[in-house]
Amino acid sequence: MHNQPQAFNDAKGTTWTLTALLLSTTQFVLESLDSSITIMAHRAAITIDESKMPNPFVLELDNNASLEIDPAEIEKLDEFLQQVTGVSA
């Protein structure tokens, strides 16, 4: 799963790709479909932000960048993160 982009939509319908790069440690690259936004991070996790109801699911990168995720995309994005980090929820 490393080096293979995982496409998903945010809560507003924008398509993004999340790629896990295996360097000395796993690093993540989040990129908008048109490549106008690129964020690199050492950590990526799905968190819950209760202030964002009814869609509380957020992809959080290094505790300083976050993106609301389309609820229909949660399962496949969670599976991707579990595979590349070796951690199960």
Side-chain angles (χ1 to χ4, degrees):
M1 295 302 296
H2 285 84
N3 301 324
Q4 296 178 13
Q6 176 68 46
F8 68 97
N9 293 323
D10 67 14
K12 294 181 181 180
T14 302
T15 301
W16 296 84
T17 58
L18 181 64
T19 306
L21 303 175
L22 187 56
L23 303 170
S24 59
T25 61
T26 298
Q27 293 187 22
F28 296 92
V29 177
L30 178 68
E31 189 170 27
S32 61
L33 184 62
D34 65 1
S35 300
S36 64
I37 300 171
T38 302
I39 300 170
M40 294 192 72
H42 295 283
R43 187 183 77 78
I46 295 174
T47 61
I48 295 177
D49 182 348
E50 293 180 0
S51 71
K52 304 229 185 260
M53 294 300 195
N55 179 24
F57 299 106
V58 175
L59 174 64
E60 188 174 286
L61 302 164
D62 284 352
N63 296 322
N64 63 5
S66 61
L67 182 66
E68 293 177 48
I69 305 169
D70 180 338
E73 305 283 337
I74 292 298
E75 189 173 329
K76 78 175 181 182
L77 191 56
D78 184 49
E79 287 176 8
F80 171 77
L81 289 172
Q82 287 180 32
Q83 287 180 352
V84 297
T85 62
V87 176
S88 43

